[in-house]
Amino acid sequence: MNWEYESPRKAYGETLVELGKEREDIVVLDADLSTSTKTAMFGKEFPHRFFNVGLQEQNMMGIAAGLARCGKTVFASSFAVFATGRAYDQVRQSIAYPNLNVKIVATHGGVTVGEDGASHQMIEDIGLMCGLPNMRVIVPVDSHEVRRVIRFVASQDGPFYVRLTRTALPNLTSKDDEFVFSRGTLMRDGSDATIIATGIEVSYALLATEILKKEGYDIRVVNMSTIKPIDKGIIIKAAKETGAIMTVEDHNIYNGLGSRVAEVLVENYPVPMRRHGMRDVFGKSGRWDALLEHYGMDEKGIAREMREFLKEVKK
Amino acid sequence: MRNEKNNKVMKNTHTIMPQISKEKVRELKLRANEIRTWVIKMVYTAQSGHPGGALSAADILAVLYFHELRIDPKNPEWRERDRFVLSKGHASAAYYAALAMRGFFPENELLTFRKIDSFLQGHPSLIVPGVDMCTGSLGQGLSAAIGMSLAAKLDGMNYRVYALLGDGEVEEGNVWEAALTAATRKLDNLVAIVDRNKIQLDDFTDKMVVLDPLEEKWNAFGWKVLSINGHDIVQIIRALDEARKTKDKPTVIIAHTVKGKGISYMENTAKYHGKPPQNEEEYKLALKELEEERRRI
């Protein structure tokens, strides 16, 4: 496929700067990772509205809550592992419970963090954040969508968790597309089965369908950018029309996209289903693309998984 | 109190501070007594709650809510109000009593504390009029107060921000993260008060971790440190005045207090950290002692 690749982190930083120019109430916090999360771009333009608190993720989330309580629209960024894991209780008690206007935008989600290894590869953040009342969870599919999502969450009151990846992503949507919150999007139609994917895995799912097409399988692909609240309609429709669903995510198969989709299916329209992603193991060091291959989360791995799944379904 | 040698406020500022009238002191003592009476009634009615740390903080809350804070009970969300964060959220009974007595909501609501249909949640929640921050998980309130203090500076507003912490609470690492940041950012509109009652849920704080020298620790972190008797109304008022005059650094007031203050059988024991009077006899004795104290004021 002839995709144009772009850094979602850079798109985030650029959008923050635009928002900062438009709105005085936007403030940004980081915990010593601003050159990686790209919030430093905002800090350079608006130093008085940028608070780099040092290595204090817990304190950062509490400060974010206090700023929000005084009317600020707050963006707080770190790597996914620290923003959600290290500061979970602060996010729970000081942001989600009082329903404060804090947007936690975490970069470096998933195993695709790469060489830093398991300590930095967050594969349970979607589960942690989805479990919090009041928290809404979005995983933008590409950099165009990052821009739309950041603008969207800035326009809404209350807490959001936005998960970005470290690596550049292919632009699968166009610049002028609209972001519709809590709506999945059909990326490719198909009738034999559906892959519901999120984030970086959507492009690999699309590539996998090309492999499977040559083998005579016609696979639908749905991009699920909003994980919570999830688009039940598109899941049930896919179940009815294709009869089998596989989820793919750069996250543990427990408590992530797969679990959310399974909940919808079991309660509404049970069909054979398979969850694909990190299979309850910690990652390891390596290049991000080598890791995707290793864990079967590249196009070949996804095609292999779908092939086995279809065999099972047809039995 | 044992901390005469640390008593910087009284020694350093006595001569330059304006006189505080005897009537004012008496009024605030009566308020503190009233808060304590509500605490006993509330936790006994609820058969649940944390009297020990609520009683130790009653005098501080009385001074804050009836002397220090710039607030408007008719307009709890007034933008220019001073902010107060009860970081030691388990002292909620005393906090709610002060809010009700100050007029944020009717006093008769207080006896619904912790009940299923009440807005008076076990720990402070934003649904309670006058509450500026949800607290309960210890160690987080000072961070929220920093956010409020930064917002004041960003907006060029002169409101002040107060956070009341427990001494057990300062065992939490988050508190020291906040202590570093508040000093780094020279937040002179921020005051932390540590209710140093020396007892936490399980036992004496010293049996868990050694906090002393607590004043020196905050000083080393870059704060203006004031050490007072947290049951002495005049000392509390003067410390808050001193904090207001302090520029370029946040102030911490180490308020040396007695856990369970005012109720003989609750004083200096961990037993009533999270337990109401255990029977009607205990309940009546507590109220009797508070009544006797009121008559002495």
Side-chain angles (χ1 to χ4, degrees), chain B residues 6 23 29 38 40 42 52 73-74 81 115 158 165 167 177 195 208 214-215 220 236 264 270 276 296:
Chain B
N6 286 328
E23 293 73 35
K29 280 183 177 170
W38 274 119
I40 294 301
M42 288 165 75
K74 298 279 170 295
R81 73 188 185 280
K115 297 234 168 91
N158 67 358
L165 287 73
D167 55 354
E177 291 187 2
D195 182 4
M208 307 283 167
L214 191 55
E215 280 85 351
I236 300 167
S264 55
R296 283 196 302 271

mmCIF file with all atom_site columns, all heavy atoms in Angstrom, chain B residues 6 23 29 38 40 42 52 73-74 81 115 158 165 167 177 195 208 214-215 220 236 264 270 276 296:
data_model
loop_
_atom_site.group_PDB
_atom_site.id
_atom_site.type_symbol
_atom_site.label_atom_id
_atom_site.label_alt_id
_atom_site.label_comp_id
_atom_site.label_asym_id
_atom_site.label_entity_id
_atom_site.label_seq_id
_atom_site.pdbx_PDB_ins_code
_atom_site.Cartn_x
_atom_site.Cartn_y
_atom_site.Cartn_z
_atom_site.occupancy
_atom_site.B_iso_or_equiv
_atom_site.pdbx_formal_charge
_atom_site.auth_seq_id
_atom_site.auth_comp_id
_atom_site.auth_asym_id
_atom_site.auth_atom_id
_atom_site.pdbx_PDB_model_num
ATOM 1   N N   . ASN B 1 6   ? 10.258  25.087 69.537 1.00 0.00 ? 6   ASN B N   1
ATOM 2   C CA  . ASN B 1 6   ? 10.008  25.302 68.112 1.00 0.00 ? 6   ASN B CA  1
ATOM 3   C C   . ASN B 1 6   ? 9.031   26.454 67.865 1.00 0.00 ? 6   ASN B C   1
ATOM 4   O O   . ASN B 1 6   ? 8.645   26.705 66.742 1.00 0.00 ? 6   ASN B O   1
ATOM 5   C CB  . ASN B 1 6   ? 9.407   24.044 67.488 1.00 0.00 ? 6   ASN B CB  1
ATOM 6   C CG  . ASN B 1 6   ? 10.458  22.970 67.323 1.00 0.00 ? 6   ASN B CG  1
ATOM 7   O OD1 . ASN B 1 6   ? 11.618  23.290 67.093 1.00 0.00 ? 6   ASN B OD1 1
ATOM 8   N ND2 . ASN B 1 6   ? 10.060  21.723 67.450 1.00 0.00 ? 6   ASN B ND2 1
ATOM 9   N N   . GLU B 1 23  ? -12.565 38.618 72.457 1.00 0.00 ? 23  GLU B N   1
ATOM 10  C CA  . GLU B 1 23  ? -13.885 38.192 71.963 1.00 0.00 ? 23  GLU B CA  1
ATOM 11  C C   . GLU B 1 23  ? -13.730 37.280 70.754 1.00 0.00 ? 23  GLU B C   1
ATOM 12  O O   . GLU B 1 23  ? -14.417 36.282 70.618 1.00 0.00 ? 23  GLU B O   1
ATOM 13  C CB  . GLU B 1 23  ? -14.753 39.402 71.584 1.00 0.00 ? 23  GLU B CB  1
ATOM 14  C CG  . GLU B 1 23  ? -15.192 40.292 72.740 1.00 0.00 ? 23  GLU B CG  1
ATOM 15  C CD  . GLU B 1 23  ? -14.048 41.139 73.287 1.00 0.00 ? 23  GLU B CD  1
ATOM 16  O OE1 . GLU B 1 23  ? -13.189 41.555 72.483 1.00 0.00 ? 23  GLU B OE1 1
ATOM 17  O OE2 . GLU B 1 23  ? -13.993 41.356 74.514 1.00 0.00 ? 23  GLU B OE2 1
ATOM 18  N N   . LYS B 1 29  ? -13.011 29.716 69.766 1.00 0.00 ? 29  LYS B N   1
ATOM 19  C CA  . LYS B 1 29  ? -12.967 28.543 70.654 1.00 0.00 ? 29  LYS B CA  1
ATOM 20  C C   . LYS B 1 29  ? -14.332 27.888 70.719 1.00 0.00 ? 29  LYS B C   1
ATOM 21  O O   . LYS B 1 29  ? -14.451 26.652 70.724 1.00 0.00 ? 29  LYS B O   1
ATOM 22  C CB  . LYS B 1 29  ? -12.535 28.975 72.067 1.00 0.00 ? 29  LYS B CB  1
ATOM 23  C CG  . LYS B 1 29  ? -11.041 29.168 72.217 1.00 0.00 ? 29  LYS B CG  1
ATOM 24  C CD  . LYS B 1 29  ? -10.702 29.512 73.661 1.00 0.00 ? 29  LYS B CD  1
ATOM 25  C CE  . LYS B 1 29  ? -9.200  29.627 73.856 1.00 0.00 ? 29  LYS B CE  1
ATOM 26  N NZ  . LYS B 1 29  ? -8.874  30.178 75.174 1.00 0.00 ? 29  LYS B NZ  1
ATOM 27  N N   . TRP B 1 38  ? -20.463 18.459 66.851 1.00 0.00 ? 38  TRP B N   1
ATOM 28  C CA  . TRP B 1 38  ? -21.037 17.883 65.635 1.00 0.00 ? 38  TRP B CA  1
ATOM 29  C C   . TRP B 1 38  ? -20.323 16.579 65.250 1.00 0.00 ? 38  TRP B C   1
ATOM 30  O O   . TRP B 1 38  ? -20.967 15.607 64.850 1.00 0.00 ? 38  TRP B O   1
ATOM 31  C CB  . TRP B 1 38  ? -20.955 18.879 64.470 1.00 0.00 ? 38  TRP B CB  1
ATOM 32  C CG  . TRP B 1 38  ? -22.105 19.840 64.405 1.00 0.00 ? 38  TRP B CG  1
ATOM 33  C CD1 . TRP B 1 38  ? -22.047 21.195 64.491 1.00 0.00 ? 38  TRP B CD1 1
ATOM 34  C CD2 . TRP B 1 38  ? -23.493 19.502 64.232 1.00 0.00 ? 38  TRP B CD2 1
ATOM 35  N NE1 . TRP B 1 38  ? -23.305 21.733 64.389 1.00 0.00 ? 38  TRP B NE1 1
ATOM 36  C CE2 . TRP B 1 38  ? -24.213 20.722 64.217 1.00 0.00 ? 38  TRP B CE2 1
ATOM 37  C CE3 . TRP B 1 38  ? -24.200 18.306 64.089 1.00 0.00 ? 38  TRP B CE3 1
ATOM 38  C CZ2 . TRP B 1 38  ? -25.597 20.775 64.066 1.00 0.00 ? 38  TRP B CZ2 1
ATOM 39  C CZ3 . TRP B 1 38  ? -25.581 18.358 63.936 1.00 0.00 ? 38  TRP B CZ3 1
ATOM 40  C CH2 . TRP B 1 38  ? -26.272 19.577 63.929 1.00 0.00 ? 38  TRP B CH2 1
ATOM 41  N N   . ILE B 1 40  ? -18.892 14.370 67.080 1.00 0.00 ? 40  ILE B N   1
ATOM 42  C CA  . ILE B 1 40  ? -19.350 13.260 67.923 1.00 0.00 ? 40  ILE B CA  1
ATOM 43  C C   . ILE B 1 40  ? -20.761 12.828 67.520 1.00 0.00 ? 40  ILE B C   1
ATOM 44  O O   . ILE B 1 40  ? -21.045 11.637 67.342 1.00 0.00 ? 40  ILE B O   1
ATOM 45  C CB  . ILE B 1 40  ? -19.310 13.665 69.418 1.00 0.00 ? 40  ILE B CB  1
ATOM 46  C CG1 . ILE B 1 40  ? -17.855 13.896 69.863 1.00 0.00 ? 40  ILE B CG1 1
ATOM 47  C CG2 . ILE B 1 40  ? -19.978 12.598 70.295 1.00 0.00 ? 40  ILE B CG2 1
ATOM 48  C CD1 . ILE B 1 40  ? -16.929 12.694 69.689 1.00 0.00 ? 40  ILE B CD1 1
ATOM 49  N N   . MET B 1 42  ? -22.272 13.282 64.657 1.00 0.00 ? 42  MET B N   1
ATOM 50  C CA  . MET B 1 42  ? -22.287 12.735 63.290 1.00 0.00 ? 42  MET B CA  1
ATOM 51  C C   . MET B 1 42  ? -21.770 11.300 63.235 1.00 0.00 ? 42  MET B C   1
ATOM 52  O O   . MET B 1 42  ? -22.396 10.425 62.645 1.00 0.00 ? 42  MET B O   1
ATOM 53  C CB  . MET B 1 42  ? -21.442 13.626 62.362 1.00 0.00 ? 42  MET B CB  1
ATOM 54  C CG  . MET B 1 42  ? -22.093 14.968 62.043 1.00 0.00 ? 42  MET B CG  1
ATOM 55  S SD  . MET B 1 42  ? -20.915 16.150 61.335 1.00 0.00 ? 42  MET B SD  1
ATOM 56  C CE  . MET B 1 42  ? -20.756 15.484 59.679 1.00 0.00 ? 42  MET B CE  1
ATOM 57  N N   . GLY B 1 52  ? -11.054 10.712 65.682 1.00 0.00 ? 52  GLY B N   1
ATOM 58  C CA  . GLY B 1 52  ? -9.743  11.083 66.234 1.00 0.00 ? 52  GLY B CA  1
ATOM 59  C C   . GLY B 1 52  ? -9.085  12.255 65.516 1.00 0.00 ? 52  GLY B C   1
ATOM 60  O O   . GLY B 1 52  ? -8.732  13.265 66.121 1.00 0.00 ? 52  GLY B O   1
ATOM 61  N N   . PRO B 1 73  ? -20.562 31.707 51.324 1.00 0.00 ? 73  PRO B N   1
ATOM 62  C CA  . PRO B 1 73  ? -21.428 30.525 51.364 1.00 0.00 ? 73  PRO B CA  1
ATOM 63  C C   . PRO B 1 73  ? -22.608 30.600 50.390 1.00 0.00 ? 73  PRO B C   1
ATOM 64  O O   . PRO B 1 73  ? -23.109 29.578 49.945 1.00 0.00 ? 73  PRO B O   1
ATOM 65  C CB  . PRO B 1 73  ? -21.942 30.508 52.802 1.00 0.00 ? 73  PRO B CB  1
ATOM 66  C CG  . PRO B 1 73  ? -20.977 31.326 53.578 1.00 0.00 ? 73  PRO B CG  1
ATOM 67  C CD  . PRO B 1 73  ? -20.450 32.362 52.644 1.00 0.00 ? 73  PRO B CD  1
ATOM 68  N N   . LYS B 1 74  ? -22.999 31.833 50.039 1.00 0.00 ? 74  LYS B N   1
ATOM 69  C CA  . LYS B 1 74  ? -24.106 31.977 49.074 1.00 0.00 ? 74  LYS B CA  1
ATOM 70  C C   . LYS B 1 74  ? -23.630 31.674 47.663 1.00 0.00 ? 74  LYS B C   1
ATOM 71  O O   . LYS B 1 74  ? -24.426 31.445 46.755 1.00 0.00 ? 74  LYS B O   1
ATOM 72  C CB  . LYS B 1 74  ? -24.662 33.413 49.122 1.00 0.00 ? 74  LYS B CB  1
ATOM 73  C CG  . LYS B 1 74  ? -25.242 33.807 50.462 1.00 0.00 ? 74  LYS B CG  1
ATOM 74  C CD  . LYS B 1 74  ? -26.659 33.280 50.622 1.00 0.00 ? 74  LYS B CD  1
ATOM 75  C CE  . LYS B 1 74  ? -27.169 33.456 52.034 1.00 0.00 ? 74  LYS B CE  1
ATOM 76  N NZ  . LYS B 1 74  ? -26.411 32.632 53.048 1.00 0.00 ? 74  LYS B NZ  1
ATOM 77  N N   . ARG B 1 81  ? -12.655 33.173 45.402 1.00 0.00 ? 81  ARG B N   1
ATOM 78  C CA  . ARG B 1 81  ? -12.591 32.637 46.768 1.00 0.00 ? 81  ARG B CA  1
ATOM 79  C C   . ARG B 1 81  ? -11.226 32.023 47.070 1.00 0.00 ? 81  ARG B C   1
ATOM 80  O O   . ARG B 1 81  ? -10.541 31.551 46.150 1.00 0.00 ? 81  ARG B O   1
ATOM 81  C CB  . ARG B 1 81  ? -13.670 31.563 46.972 1.00 0.00 ? 81  ARG B CB  1
ATOM 82  C CG  . ARG B 1 81  ? -13.352 30.240 46.254 1.00 0.00 ? 81  ARG B CG  1
ATOM 83  C CD  . ARG B 1 81  ? -14.526 29.272 46.303 1.00 0.00 ? 81  ARG B CD  1
ATOM 84  N NE  . ARG B 1 81  ? -14.200 27.971 45.727 1.00 0.00 ? 81  ARG B NE  1
ATOM 85  C CZ  . ARG B 1 81  ? -14.181 27.707 44.424 1.00 0.00 ? 81  ARG B CZ  1
ATOM 86  N NH1 . ARG B 1 81  ? -14.442 28.652 43.541 1.00 0.00 ? 81  ARG B NH1 1
ATOM 87  N NH2 . ARG B 1 81  ? -13.881 26.488 43.988 1.00 0.00 ? 81  ARG B NH2 1
ATOM 88  N N   . LYS B 1 115 ? -24.808 8.341  55.147 1.00 0.00 ? 115 LYS B N   1
ATOM 89  C CA  . LYS B 1 115 ? -25.995 7.504  54.910 1.00 0.00 ? 115 LYS B CA  1
ATOM 90  C C   . LYS B 1 115 ? -26.306 7.468  53.416 1.00 0.00 ? 115 LYS B C   1
ATOM 91  O O   . LYS B 1 115 ? -25.956 8.354  52.659 1.00 0.00 ? 115 LYS B O   1
ATOM 92  C CB  . LYS B 1 115 ? -27.180 8.071  55.694 1.00 0.00 ? 115 LYS B CB  1
ATOM 93  C CG  . LYS B 1 115 ? -26.959 8.052  57.213 1.00 0.00 ? 115 LYS B CG  1
ATOM 94  C CD  . LYS B 1 115 ? -28.096 7.325  57.923 1.00 0.00 ? 115 LYS B CD  1
ATOM 95  C CE  . LYS B 1 115 ? -27.775 7.028  59.372 1.00 0.00 ? 115 LYS B CE  1
ATOM 96  N NZ  . LYS B 1 115 ? -28.202 8.086  60.274 1.00 0.00 ? 115 LYS B NZ  1
ATOM 97  N N   . ASN B 1 158 ? -5.681  36.966 43.308 1.00 0.00 ? 158 ASN B N   1
ATOM 98  C CA  . ASN B 1 158 ? -4.958  36.975 44.580 1.00 0.00 ? 158 ASN B CA  1
ATOM 99  C C   . ASN B 1 158 ? -5.538  36.033 45.635 1.00 0.00 ? 158 ASN B C   1
ATOM 100 O O   . ASN B 1 158 ? -5.275  36.181 46.817 1.00 0.00 ? 158 ASN B O   1
ATOM 101 C CB  . ASN B 1 158 ? -4.859  38.404 45.128 1.00 0.00 ? 158 ASN B CB  1
ATOM 102 C CG  . ASN B 1 158 ? -6.221  38.941 45.538 1.00 0.00 ? 158 ASN B CG  1
ATOM 103 O OD1 . ASN B 1 158 ? -7.228  38.263 45.375 1.00 0.00 ? 158 ASN B OD1 1
ATOM 104 N ND2 . ASN B 1 158 ? -6.252  40.150 46.063 1.00 0.00 ? 158 ASN B ND2 1
ATOM 105 N N   . LEU B 1 165 ? -3.150  18.634 55.911 1.00 0.00 ? 165 LEU B N   1
ATOM 106 C CA  . LEU B 1 165 ? -2.657  17.262 55.777 1.00 0.00 ? 165 LEU B CA  1
ATOM 107 C C   . LEU B 1 165 ? -2.580  16.596 57.139 1.00 0.00 ? 165 LEU B C   1
ATOM 108 O O   . LEU B 1 165 ? -2.353  17.251 58.154 1.00 0.00 ? 165 LEU B O   1
ATOM 109 C CB  . LEU B 1 165 ? -1.252  17.252 55.163 1.00 0.00 ? 165 LEU B CB  1
ATOM 110 C CG  . LEU B 1 165 ? -1.073  17.573 53.689 1.00 0.00 ? 165 LEU B CG  1
ATOM 111 C CD1 . LEU B 1 165 ? -1.282  19.048 53.401 1.00 0.00 ? 165 LEU B CD1 1
ATOM 112 C CD2 . LEU B 1 165 ? 0.330   17.160 53.231 1.00 0.00 ? 165 LEU B CD2 1
ATOM 113 N N   . ASP B 1 167 ? -0.519  13.905 59.698 1.00 0.00 ? 167 ASP B N   1
ATOM 114 C CA  . ASP B 1 167 ? 0.912   13.583 59.801 1.00 0.00 ? 167 ASP B CA  1
ATOM 115 C C   . ASP B 1 167 ? 1.185   12.169 59.303 1.00 0.00 ? 167 ASP B C   1
ATOM 116 O O   . ASP B 1 167 ? 2.199   11.920 58.663 1.00 0.00 ? 167 ASP B O   1
ATOM 117 C CB  . ASP B 1 167 ? 1.475   13.841 61.208 1.00 0.00 ? 167 ASP B CB  1
ATOM 118 C CG  . ASP B 1 167 ? 0.733   13.129 62.327 1.00 0.00 ? 167 ASP B CG  1
ATOM 119 O OD1 . ASP B 1 167 ? -0.317  12.501 62.063 1.00 0.00 ? 167 ASP B OD1 1
ATOM 120 O OD2 . ASP B 1 167 ? 1.207   13.206 63.473 1.00 0.00 ? 167 ASP B OD2 1
ATOM 121 N N   . GLU B 1 177 ? 6.798   14.826 46.611 1.00 0.00 ? 177 GLU B N   1
ATOM 122 C CA  . GLU B 1 177 ? 6.841   15.320 45.223 1.00 0.00 ? 177 GLU B CA  1
ATOM 123 C C   . GLU B 1 177 ? 6.250   16.725 45.192 1.00 0.00 ? 177 GLU B C   1
ATOM 124 O O   . GLU B 1 177 ? 6.804   17.656 44.602 1.00 0.00 ? 177 GLU B O   1
ATOM 125 C CB  . GLU B 1 177 ? 6.007   14.415 44.295 1.00 0.00 ? 177 GLU B CB  1
ATOM 126 C CG  . GLU B 1 177 ? 6.565   13.034 44.050 1.00 0.00 ? 177 GLU B CG  1
ATOM 127 C CD  . GLU B 1 177 ? 5.775   12.248 42.987 1.00 0.00 ? 177 GLU B CD  1
ATOM 128 O OE1 . GLU B 1 177 ? 4.813   12.772 42.410 1.00 0.00 ? 177 GLU B OE1 1
ATOM 129 O OE2 . GLU B 1 177 ? 6.142   11.091 42.752 1.00 0.00 ? 177 GLU B OE2 1
ATOM 130 N N   . ASP B 1 195 ? -1.468  18.479 60.463 1.00 0.00 ? 195 ASP B N   1
ATOM 131 C CA  . ASP B 1 195 ? -2.090  18.182 61.749 1.00 0.00 ? 195 ASP B CA  1
ATOM 132 C C   . ASP B 1 195 ? -1.245  17.091 62.421 1.00 0.00 ? 195 ASP B C   1
ATOM 133 O O   . ASP B 1 195 ? -1.445  15.905 62.217 1.00 0.00 ? 195 ASP B O   1
ATOM 134 C CB  . ASP B 1 195 ? -3.527  17.702 61.506 1.00 0.00 ? 195 ASP B CB  1
ATOM 135 C CG  . ASP B 1 195 ? -4.270  17.405 62.798 1.00 0.00 ? 195 ASP B CG  1
ATOM 136 O OD1 . ASP B 1 195 ? -3.703  17.636 63.882 1.00 0.00 ? 195 ASP B OD1 1
ATOM 137 O OD2 . ASP B 1 195 ? -5.420  16.936 62.705 1.00 0.00 ? 195 ASP B OD2 1
ATOM 138 N N   . MET B 1 208 ? 5.697   3.547  62.886 1.00 0.00 ? 208 MET B N   1
ATOM 139 C CA  . MET B 1 208 ? 5.659   3.179  61.469 1.00 0.00 ? 208 MET B CA  1
ATOM 140 C C   . MET B 1 208 ? 6.940   3.651  60.786 1.00 0.00 ? 208 MET B C   1
ATOM 141 O O   . MET B 1 208 ? 7.749   2.869  60.348 1.00 0.00 ? 208 MET B O   1
ATOM 142 C CB  . MET B 1 208 ? 4.467   3.851  60.780 1.00 0.00 ? 208 MET B CB  1
ATOM 143 C CG  . MET B 1 208 ? 3.151   3.610  61.446 1.00 0.00 ? 208 MET B CG  1
ATOM 144 S SD  . MET B 1 208 ? 2.538   1.957  61.076 1.00 0.00 ? 208 MET B SD  1
ATOM 145 C CE  . MET B 1 208 ? 1.224   1.855  62.287 1.00 0.00 ? 208 MET B CE  1
ATOM 146 N N   . LEU B 1 214 ? 10.454  16.768 61.632 1.00 0.00 ? 214 LEU B N   1
ATOM 147 C CA  . LEU B 1 214 ? 9.550   17.097 60.535 1.00 0.00 ? 214 LEU B CA  1
ATOM 148 C C   . LEU B 1 214 ? 9.728   18.534 60.047 1.00 0.00 ? 214 LEU B C   1
ATOM 149 O O   . LEU B 1 214 ? 9.723   18.804 58.851 1.00 0.00 ? 214 LEU B O   1
ATOM 150 C CB  . LEU B 1 214 ? 8.099   16.870 61.001 1.00 0.00 ? 214 LEU B CB  1
ATOM 151 C CG  . LEU B 1 214 ? 7.025   16.903 59.916 1.00 0.00 ? 214 LEU B CG  1
ATOM 152 C CD1 . LEU B 1 214 ? 7.323   15.907 58.801 1.00 0.00 ? 214 LEU B CD1 1
ATOM 153 C CD2 . LEU B 1 214 ? 5.660   16.602 60.524 1.00 0.00 ? 214 LEU B CD2 1
ATOM 154 N N   . GLU B 1 215 ? 9.930   19.460 61.011 1.00 0.00 ? 215 GLU B N   1
ATOM 155 C CA  . GLU B 1 215 ? 10.129  20.854 60.633 1.00 0.00 ? 215 GLU B CA  1
ATOM 156 C C   . GLU B 1 215 ? 11.366  20.998 59.754 1.00 0.00 ? 215 GLU B C   1
ATOM 157 O O   . GLU B 1 215 ? 11.351  21.707 58.745 1.00 0.00 ? 215 GLU B O   1
ATOM 158 C CB  . GLU B 1 215 ? 10.281  21.732 61.901 1.00 0.00 ? 215 GLU B CB  1
ATOM 159 C CG  . GLU B 1 215 ? 8.968   22.077 62.574 1.00 0.00 ? 215 GLU B CG  1
ATOM 160 C CD  . GLU B 1 215 ? 8.444   21.012 63.545 1.00 0.00 ? 215 GLU B CD  1
ATOM 161 O OE1 . GLU B 1 215 ? 9.029   19.900 63.578 1.00 0.00 ? 215 GLU B OE1 1
ATOM 162 O OE2 . GLU B 1 215 ? 7.457   21.267 64.248 1.00 0.00 ? 215 GLU B OE2 1
ATOM 163 N N   . ALA B 1 220 ? 14.208  21.948 54.684 1.00 0.00 ? 220 ALA B N   1
ATOM 164 C CA  . ALA B 1 220 ? 15.197  21.513 53.686 1.00 0.00 ? 220 ALA B CA  1
ATOM 165 C C   . ALA B 1 220 ? 14.585  21.467 52.287 1.00 0.00 ? 220 ALA B C   1
ATOM 166 O O   . ALA B 1 220 ? 15.282  21.641 51.289 1.00 0.00 ? 220 ALA B O   1
ATOM 167 C CB  . ALA B 1 220 ? 15.752  20.143 54.066 1.00 0.00 ? 220 ALA B CB  1
ATOM 168 N N   . ILE B 1 236 ? -2.606  29.845 65.840 1.00 0.00 ? 236 ILE B N   1
ATOM 169 C CA  . ILE B 1 236 ? -3.053  29.475 64.479 1.00 0.00 ? 236 ILE B CA  1
ATOM 170 C C   . ILE B 1 236 ? -3.248  30.745 63.646 1.00 0.00 ? 236 ILE B C   1
ATOM 171 O O   . ILE B 1 236 ? -2.767  30.842 62.513 1.00 0.00 ? 236 ILE B O   1
ATOM 172 C CB  . ILE B 1 236 ? -4.367  28.655 64.529 1.00 0.00 ? 236 ILE B CB  1
ATOM 173 C CG1 . ILE B 1 236 ? -4.183  27.359 65.319 1.00 0.00 ? 236 ILE B CG1 1
ATOM 174 C CG2 . ILE B 1 236 ? -4.828  28.316 63.108 1.00 0.00 ? 236 ILE B CG2 1
ATOM 175 C CD1 . ILE B 1 236 ? -5.494  26.649 65.673 1.00 0.00 ? 236 ILE B CD1 1
ATOM 176 N N   . SER B 1 264 ? -11.879 12.808 76.672 1.00 0.00 ? 264 SER B N   1
ATOM 177 C CA  . SER B 1 264 ? -10.829 12.203 77.493 1.00 0.00 ? 264 SER B CA  1
ATOM 178 C C   . SER B 1 264 ? -10.406 10.814 76.992 1.00 0.00 ? 264 SER B C   1
ATOM 179 O O   . SER B 1 264 ? -9.222  10.539 76.822 1.00 0.00 ? 264 SER B O   1
ATOM 180 C CB  . SER B 1 264 ? -11.300 12.109 78.949 1.00 0.00 ? 264 SER B CB  1
ATOM 181 O OG  . SER B 1 264 ? -12.531 11.399 78.996 1.00 0.00 ? 264 SER B OG  1
ATOM 182 N N   . ALA B 1 270 ? -4.895  5.449  69.219 1.00 0.00 ? 270 ALA B N   1
ATOM 183 C CA  . ALA B 1 270 ? -5.270  5.143  67.834 1.00 0.00 ? 270 ALA B CA  1
ATOM 184 C C   . ALA B 1 270 ? -6.662  4.515  67.762 1.00 0.00 ? 270 ALA B C   1
ATOM 185 O O   . ALA B 1 270 ? -7.248  4.396  66.695 1.00 0.00 ? 270 ALA B O   1
ATOM 186 C CB  . ALA B 1 270 ? -4.243  4.193  67.220 1.00 0.00 ? 270 ALA B CB  1
ATOM 187 N N   . PRO B 1 276 ? -16.512 5.329  66.001 1.00 0.00 ? 276 PRO B N   1
ATOM 188 C CA  . PRO B 1 276 ? -17.339 6.251  66.778 1.00 0.00 ? 276 PRO B CA  1
ATOM 189 C C   . PRO B 1 276 ? -17.348 5.826  68.250 1.00 0.00 ? 276 PRO B C   1
ATOM 190 O O   . PRO B 1 276 ? -16.835 4.755  68.583 1.00 0.00 ? 276 PRO B O   1
ATOM 191 C CB  . PRO B 1 276 ? -18.726 6.077  66.166 1.00 0.00 ? 276 PRO B CB  1
ATOM 192 C CG  . PRO B 1 276 ? -18.732 4.675  65.643 1.00 0.00 ? 276 PRO B CG  1
ATOM 193 C CD  . PRO B 1 276 ? -17.324 4.383  65.213 1.00 0.00 ? 276 PRO B CD  1
ATOM 194 N N   . ARG B 1 296 ? -16.601 26.451 80.099 1.00 0.00 ? 296 ARG B N   1
ATOM 195 C CA  . ARG B 1 296 ? -15.333 27.041 80.560 1.00 0.00 ? 296 ARG B CA  1
ATOM 196 C C   . ARG B 1 296 ? -14.829 28.151 79.633 1.00 0.00 ? 296 ARG B C   1
ATOM 197 O O   . ARG B 1 296 ? -14.047 28.994 80.011 1.00 0.00 ? 296 ARG B O   1
ATOM 198 C CB  . ARG B 1 296 ? -14.262 25.961 80.677 1.00 0.00 ? 296 ARG B CB  1
ATOM 199 C CG  . ARG B 1 296 ? -14.381 25.076 81.921 1.00 0.00 ? 296 ARG B CG  1
ATOM 200 C CD  . ARG B 1 296 ? -13.084 24.291 82.165 1.00 0.00 ? 296 ARG B CD  1
ATOM 201 N NE  . ARG B 1 296 ? -12.710 23.460 81.033 1.00 0.00 ? 296 ARG B NE  1
ATOM 202 C CZ  . ARG B 1 296 ? -13.128 22.191 80.870 1.00 0.00 ? 296 ARG B CZ  1
ATOM 203 N NH1 . ARG B 1 296 ? -13.941 21.634 81.750 1.00 0.00 ? 296 ARG B NH1 1
ATOM 204 N NH2 . ARG B 1 296 ? -12.738 21.491 79.834 1.00 0.00 ? 296 ARG B NH2 1
#
